[in-house]
Amino acid sequence: GENVEQHPSTLSVQEGDSAVIKCTYSDSASNYFPWYKQELGKRPQLIIDIRSNVGEKKDQRIAVTLNKTAKHFSLHITETQPEDSAVYFCAGQNTGFQKLVFGTGTRLLVSP
Amino acid sequence: DTEVTQTPKHLVMGMTNKKSLKCEQHMGHRAMYWYKQKAKKPPELMFVYSYEKLSINESVPSRFSPECPNSSLLNLHLHALQPEDSALYLCASSQDAQGLNLPQHFGDGTRLSIL
C-alpha cells in the first residue's frame, strides 16, 4: 500500500520568510496529492491540492510542486505570517482507490 | 459552502456505556469517512461509505459500528470502548470516493474521552 513520508517534523521561521515542507510517496500509481492545515483544536482544512497531470499549482502565497519521477511533492509558503502557524499534513491517493494516506505532519511556527 | 457538522463536540463516557457520534453534510456528497486522530498524529482512516454502502473497513474493532442512514448522515456507534480509544474522531465527505471529485472536507470532530 501507499506510504507517505513528510519532513521536517518541525519548522520555525521568522515572519516574512519562506517555508518549504517536503513529502515523498511510495506508490507510483498515486495521482492525487492534497495538503491540509490543522490549527490547534480545529479541523484539518484543505489548502491546496495537485494532480499528477500538472507539475505545479499556485494559490496566492501557497504553491505545491510535484516531481513524479522522484515521487516527491512539496508545499511552499511565501511571506509567512504568524497565522500560518499550524500543523500541515500532506497526503497521497491513487484515485482508482478510496483511501487517502497522510504524512506524519509538520508543525510550522512563524515568529513575529 | 463546504460544511460538515459533527455532534457532540465533546463526549466523556465510561467503558460500559453506549453512545453515538453523528455527522451531517448537505453538499450532496456521496462519500463519507470516519477518521481517528490521536494527539500530534495524522488522521487515521477507519471507514469509508460510498453511495451509502460501506466500502472500506480498516480492520476497526467491532466496538465501533458505523451506520449511514442516508446520503447526508453518518453515525458511529460506540460500545464497550477502551481508554486507548480516547481521541478526536473526525468525519469527512467528498463528492465521490475515487476518480476526479476527491477533495475531502472535514468536520470539527468529536473529542472523545473514555474513563
Side-chain angles (χ1 to χ4, degrees):
Chain A
E2 173 68 289
N3 182 49
V4 178
E5 295 187 356
Q6 184 171 348
H7 300 280
S9 56
T10 307
L11 180 59
S12 294
V13 300
Q14 292 292 121
E15 183 176 1
D17 288 350
S18 294
V20 180
I21 302 170
K22 299 181 179 182
C23 290
T24 60
Y25 59 99
S26 60
D27 185 355
S28 56
S30 288
N31 53 2
Y32 173 65
F33 306 95
W35 286 87
Y36 286 87
K37 173 185 180 182
Q38 188 173 26
E39 297 176 65
L40 189 63
K42 296 194 175 181
R43 70 178 76 184
Q45 188 174 11
L46 180 71
I47 57 172
I48 197 167
D49 58 8
I50 192 169
R51 297 181 187 274
S52 59
N53 58 345
V54 299
E56 184 173 358
K57 185 176 179 180
K58 190 173 182 180
D59 183 4
Q60 300 183 335
R61 297 186 296 109
I62 293 172
V64 57
T65 58
L66 172 64
N67 183 327
K68 286 189 294 182
T69 303
K71 292 191 284 188
H72 66 70
F73 56 112
S74 300
L75 179 71
H76 305 254
I77 307 174
T78 58
E79 302 172 22
T80 55
Q81 302 167 2
E83 50 265 40
D84 294 330
S85 297
V87 177
Y88 291 80
F89 292 102
C90 64
Q93 181 172 356
N94 176 344
T95 56
F97 298 95
Q98 299 178 337
K99 184 174 179 179
L100 184 64
V101 178
F102 284 85
T104 49
T106 296
R107 183 171 300 277
L108 174 64
L109 177 61
V110 181
S111 302
Chain B
D1 199 9
T2 57
E3 186 170 335
V4 177
T5 304
Q6 290 187 245
T7 55
K9 293 190 184 304
H10 303 274
L11 179 62
V12 179
M13 57 187 286
M15 289 189 283
T16 58
N17 292 159
K18 285 185 180 180
K19 295 286 185 182
S20 297
L21 310 184
K22 297 187 183 300
C23 175
E24 189 169 6
Q25 56 87 15
H26 293 291
M27 297 175 282
H29 289 179
R30 302 312 300 268
M32 296 185 77
Y33 311 78
W34 280 115
Y35 288 86
K36 173 182 178 180
Q37 187 177 28
K38 300 284 268 186
K40 302 185 179 181
K41 297 290 187 182
E44 182 182 333
L45 183 66
M46 300 174 71
F47 303 103
V48 179
Y49 272 83
S50 179
Y51 290 84
E52 299 157 52
K53 294 191 185 307
L54 181 65
S55 57
I56 292 181
N57 176 341
E58 287 286 290
S59 302
V60 179
S62 59
R63 57 186 183 268
F64 295 91
S65 175
E67 178 195 19
C68 188
N70 59 55
S71 60
S72 300
L73 290 173
L74 186 65
N75 298 322
L76 186 63
H77 303 297
L78 314 173
H79 174 55
L81 295 193
Q82 304 297 308
E84 60 265 28
D85 297 323
S86 297
L88 180 67
Y89 287 84
L90 292 162
C91 174
S93 71
S94 60
Q95 279 189 278
D96 207 335
Q98 56 194 83
L100 297 178
N101 299 312
L102 280 179
Q104 291 185 27
H105 300 279
F106 286 84
D108 287 330
T110 294
R111 190 159 298 281
L112 177 65
S113 298
I114 306 300
L115 300 179

